[in-house]
Amino acid sequence: MSSNGTYTAREFNLSGLKGISDETLEMHFKLYEGYVKETNNLTEKISEFIKDAKVDQEEMPAYSELTRRLGFEYNGMVLHEYYFDNLKSRGGSGDPSQGSDFVKAAESSFGSYEIWKTDFVGIGKMRGVGWAICYQNPANGRLSNHWITLHETGNVAGFVPILVMDVWEHAYLLDYKPAERPKYIEAFFSNIAWKTVEERLKQITGAQSARA
Ligand SMILES: [Fe+2]
């Protein structure tokens, strides 16, 4: 974010994924830039409404609509950054290694990594437009998986996104048919940057032990 409060779209050094083409990524980066642009536009328009320190009754419908859209665009921007960041250029190595921090967190929260994965993949296959997100509860360190409708409905306040998977059709439509979402999810797993995912986990673990 710049000093005047506007966001600049980030550049992601991401290409050569397994089963997700560079064309898809290029198109997806453009879509992400659209979310950044709209977040800035809406923030600016809303600031026009409030700069006289009141929202007049006749301004209320337009102000309300802009503010509702802000939740959509803002989450669209932020979630795409998490998503691109948790993918590994040239592809990853599949599931995380046994004994890794993520596997340990999945085991203590779900019983096993396989059960965690069954839940996360199951959520990813749900019909509708949205995201599958594995969050960590900062209060107790536990992982939980959630379905997010569009970008903004279902996010748990205060929980930290650990692994974020876009399951909007635009994430895979150039590579797979709409009904082939399971194949895209398989491809997603073969490209996860587990190091990045685990860094997200560690930040919370560190904060917790500092409080203990
Ligand atoms: Fe997307």
Side-chain angles (χ1 to χ4, degrees):
M1 192 185 227
S2 68
S3 56
N4 65 357
T6 57
Y7 289 98
T8 307
R10 285 178 47 202
E11 299 227 355
F12 297 91
N13 184 18
L14 198 58
S15 63
L17 296 179
K18 298 173 185 165
I20 299 172
S21 65
D22 287 352
E23 285 165 283
T24 292
L25 287 173
E26 288 305 320
M27 183 207 63
H28 215 163
F29 294 148
K30 285 269 172 284
L31 282 172
Y32 155 71
E33 286 167 21
Y35 287 110
V36 177
K37 196 166 158 241
E38 278 308 302
T39 299
N40 289 334
N41 282 344
L42 290 170
T43 303
E44 196 187 321
K45 284 182 184 150
I46 290 166
S47 73
E48 284 295 310
F49 277 93
I50 58 177
K51 72 179 180 194
D52 59 357
K54 56 181 166 41
V55 181
D56 296 329
Q57 201 52 39
E58 68 272 15
E59 291 175 331
M60 204 59 196
Y63 169 81
S64 303
E65 178 56 22
L66 292 172
T67 301
R68 282 185 222 285
R69 281 170 53 198
L70 185 63
F72 173 81
E73 302 289 352
Y74 222 120
N75 278 289
M77 171 177 71
V78 171
L79 289 181
H80 278 103
E81 291 179 357
Y82 274 102
Y83 171 74
F84 295 134
D85 278 340
N86 63 212
L87 290 171
K88 191 169 187 284
S89 212
R90 325 307 313 169
S93 51
D95 292 321
S97 47
Q98 288 295 326
S100 68
D101 286 350
F102 186 85
V103 169
K104 282 187 211 155
E107 284 169 353
S108 65
S109 306
F110 285 82
S112 73
Y113 171 78
E114 286 68 30
I115 293 172
W116 167 84
K117 186 173 176 178
T118 300
D119 187 42
F120 187 84
V121 169
I123 291 170
K125 290 177 183 171
M126 282 169 56
R127 293 171 68 79
V129 176
W131 300 75
I133 301 184
C134 173
Y135 288 93
Q136 190 177 37
N137 178 351
N140 60 15
R142 287 178 69 84
L143 301 181
S144 59
N145 297 324
H146 298 264
W147 167 258
I148 309 306
T149 300
L150 300 176
H151 304 305
E152 74 277 37
T153 306
N155 291 290
V156 185
F159 278 30
V160 178
I162 300 296
L163 181 65
V164 173
M165 179 168 70
D166 192 341
V167 289
W168 283 58
E169 282 171 2
H170 67 235
Y172 60 89
L173 206 55
L174 299 180
D175 304 319
Y176 304 99
K177 294 188 176 74
E180 292 179 325
R181 200 195 282 183
K183 286 189 184 172
Y184 157 73
I185 293 173
E186 219 172 285
F188 172 84
F189 265 82
S190 68
N191 293 295
I192 294 174
W194 287 108
K195 189 169 169 285
T196 303
V197 170
E198 296 201 336
E199 279 164 7
R200 292 172 181 165
L201 265 183
K202 279 174 191 157
Q203 286 169 10
I204 301 167
T205 310
Q208 277 199 318
S209 56
R211 280 205 305 270

